[in-house]
Amino acid sequence: MPLVVQKYGGSSLADAESIKRVARRIVDTRKAGNQVCVVVSAMGDTTDELLELADAVSPAPPQRELDMLLTAGERMSMALVSMAIANLGDSARSFTGSQAGVITDDAHGKARIIDVTPGRITQALADGHIVIVAGFQGVSQNTKEITTLGRGGSDTTAVALAAALDADVCEIYTDVDGIFTADPRIVPSARKVDRISNEEMQEMAASGAKVLMLRCVEYARRFNLPIHVRSSFSYREGTWVYPATVEGEDDVEAPIIAGVAHDRSEAKITVVGVKDTPGSAAAIFTLISEQQVNIDMIVQNVSAVATGRTDVSFTLPKADGQRAVQALQDAKAGLGFESLQYDDQIGKLSLVGSGMRSHPGVSATLFQALADAGINIEMISTSEIRVSVVTNGDLLDDAVRAVHTAFGLDSSEGEAVVYGGTGR
Ligand code: ADP
Ligand code: ASP
Ligand code: MG
């Protein structure tokens, strides 16, 4: 019997009615002759609400307790979905991440799955049950503590289980019809794509397209697993994220540009008046890495001849911004810079497409589109299949729409549908 893994996101499980609707879909899949293993996220914006609650009782809650709190969200969903299935006369068994055998490292809040031992799931499936697993959570191999996988982590749970169970299909159900050429909440004319390569989806996810968590796409690539992203609110065919084509063999049907992603989660620090001597950059970025902060873009200007000094700018997650500024400020005398500037009102736009490798002029069209829209570019970075620019945060939505149009990505078939969710 085919084995289907399905994941339902929070927007598909927002209230009792939604849970009943999802239960009906799951039962239908079972009735169609499949074994079904379902991964669920927390209902609606529960995870955000739990984070706010934690913040209200403590500005810096212990990571262990935060994970204990957040995993409760997915536990609620798994039990409620199981109950709704029972109410439809079918039998379901729910399991926490730990019970499902999702083994992680011990990094609370951003744990990595290192092994999956799904013995209890295989047994429950063999016994004829539908299995419901709480996403986003696991148990640390070393500390035996409960961990969470990072925001959007249920996507990764689904792919990891699909790989471990050798599933025939891995379906990610969400509140839009699939992967679009841009976030349909910002670009209503965005077009749904039928297929996208895993490599392009990785760049989209890394550039802020949260429709799939980056780790989940990486995991699927490692296990050569296709993912079907689709809506739980419609029966339309979604988007297939397919594993790499054979090395050196291009997908001739693929468009040059896969899509435009945006990210509002970063801030920019400029270290002004850094001595332009060997070791200056090393000293700054050693200090930053000691704070466990991940840097994204870096720009260093040519130094002024008169002063022999230069400016170094870099972007980092907003959440780490104040910590990094404080660390630099504390080390000001030793590092020998003049001043610091901090800007958390920036936005990053990324254009992604494997066709960039063989088509020159992509950057020129991008920069011209931004110029025509009167949008200033503050930083630029590129990879083989991506060009990213930092702009003023208030102008980011306009920038995304302008670039989407300039690359001919607008749909001629009417507006994209966003079925639910708050976009949080
Ligand atoms: P879920 O609760 O199902 O996990 P998410 O909110 O995490 O859903 O992800 C779905 C959302 O991702 C969509 O509602 C959409 O706003 C956003 N999104 C961003 N970029 C894209 C894109 N390129 N294609 C589709 N959705 C996107
Ligand atoms: N509930 C978690 C979150 O909101 C995990 C998920 O939805 O995938 O990030
Ligand atoms: Mg998600």
Side-chain angles (χ1 to χ4, degrees):
M1 201 188 287
L3 170 58
V4 178
V5 170
Q6 301 184 329
K7 176 253 167 176
Y8 291 91
S11 49
S12 300
L13 300 165
D15 50 27
E17 275 318 304
S18 311
I19 287 175
K20 283 165 48 179
R21 190 174 52 79
V22 163
R24 163 67 55 207
R25 268 191 106 114
I26 296 170
V27 168
D28 287 347
T29 310
R30 170 88 187 114
K31 291 227 162 81
N34 302 290
Q35 288 190 317
V36 193
C37 173
V38 175
V39 174
V40 289
S41 294
M43 295 170 67
D45 290 332
T46 300
T47 306
D48 289 296
E49 286 155 15
L50 291 174
L51 280 168
E52 283 164 13
L53 207 50
D55 189 53
V57 297
S58 161
Q63 289 293 314
R64 176 188 187 276
E65 303 309 326
L66 200 55
D67 277 356
M68 289 302 236
L69 177 71
L70 294 186
T71 48
E74 271 69 15
R75 279 184 84 134
M76 285 169 62
S77 295
M78 73 178 194
L80 290 166
V81 172
S82 286
M83 290 173 193
I85 291 174
N87 188 49
L88 295 172
D90 225 313
S91 101
R93 290 277 180 280
S94 66
F95 296 95
T96 64
S98 159
Q99 289 175 318
V102 179
I103 315 291
T104 72
D105 62 17
D106 46 17
H108 283 293
K110 51 174 183 224
R112 279 182 174 274
I113 298 177
I114 51 179
D115 196 11
V116 182
T117 51
R120 293 194 67 181
I121 298 186
T122 323
Q123 188 59 53
L125 290 170
D127 292 344
H129 302 298
I130 293 170
V131 167
I132 316 292
V133 178
F136 175 57
Q137 53 182 268
V139 59
S140 157
Q141 192 168 44
N142 296 330
T143 63
K144 308 292 177 224
E145 299 288 6
I146 298 299
T147 54
T148 59
L149 309 178
R151 298 308 305 268
S154 301
D155 297 341
T156 309
T157 307
V159 168
L161 281 176
L165 296 168
D166 197 17
D168 294 275
V169 188
C170 179
E171 297 179 321
I172 306 277
Y173 284 94
T174 184
D175 55 9
V176 288
D177 277 315
I179 293 158
F180 285 71
T181 46
D183 186 344
R185 284 178 206 273
I186 292 186
V187 186
S189 61
R191 185 152 31 91
K192 195 210 87 187
V193 297
D194 295 335
R195 46 196 262 120
I196 183 170
S197 71
N198 183 295
E199 183 191 29
E200 288 173 317
M201 191 60 226
Q202 262 189 55
E203 287 280 3
M204 291 282 286
S207 305
K210 69 161 185 165
V211 58
L212 285 181
M213 191 205 197
L214 174 58
R215 289 249 179 98
C216 130
V217 191
E218 290 169 349
Y219 209 103
R221 186 179 197 174
R222 182 141 41 95
F223 286 89
N224 217 22
L225 192 87
I227 308 173
H228 188 189
V229 181
R230 56 193 310 191
S231 168
S232 73
F233 298 80
S234 81
Y235 283 88
R236 294 189 194 155
E237 177 83 359
T239 301
W240 284 90
V241 182
Y242 62 92
T245 42
V246 183
E247 196 74 43
E249 214 178 84
D250 277 343
D251 181 354
V252 285
E253 286 169 51
I256 299 171
I257 300 301
V260 188
H262 71 278
D263 191 349
R264 254 179 245 285
S265 68
E266 294 189 351
K268 182 174 75 167
I269 292 178
T270 303
V271 190
V272 180
V274 180
K275 275 178 276 170
D276 197 2
T277 49
S280 289
I284 290 172
F285 291 107
T286 302
L287 186 80
I288 297 296
S289 77
E290 280 165 6
Q291 298 294 315
Q292 309 290 325
V293 173
N294 283 326
I295 302 290
D296 182 16
M297 293 188 193
I298 302 176
V299 170
Q300 177 176 331
N301 290 336
V302 176
S303 64
V305 181
T307 60
R309 285 176 182 268
T310 182
D311 298 344
V312 176
S313 296
F314 58 92
T315 61
L316 72 176
K318 258 183 209 174
D320 297 330
Q322 291 305 337
R323 201 151 40 94
V325 166
Q326 194 57 53
L328 285 167
Q329 207 65 57
D330 292 346
K332 187 173 179 207
L335 293 173
F337 61 85
E338 286 164 2
S339 63
L340 282 181
Q341 287 170 4
Y342 180 68
D343 183 359
D344 62 4
Q345 300 301 310
I346 61 163
K348 185 173 78 172
L349 175 153
S350 301
L351 188 64
V352 174
S354 52
M356 278 182 206
R357 286 199 183 98
S358 47
H359 289 78
V362 168
S363 301
T365 308
L366 168 65
F367 300 155
Q368 191 60 53
L370 293 171
D372 293 345
I375 294 165
N376 191 40
I377 300 171
E378 297 179 19
M379 294 170 99
I380 302 170
S381 84
T382 60
S383 84
E384 222 188 340
I385 64 163
R386 174 184 53 78
V387 187
S388 301
V389 295
V390 166
T391 67
N392 176 314
D394 291 339
L395 302 177
L396 183 61
D397 290 2
D398 289 340
V400 172
R401 285 188 283 262
V403 170
H404 193 265
T405 303
F407 281 90
L409 297 173
D410 289 340
S411 165
S412 52
E413 290 162 21
E415 296 202 346
V417 186
V418 178
Y419 296 94
T422 56
R424 247 177 116 168

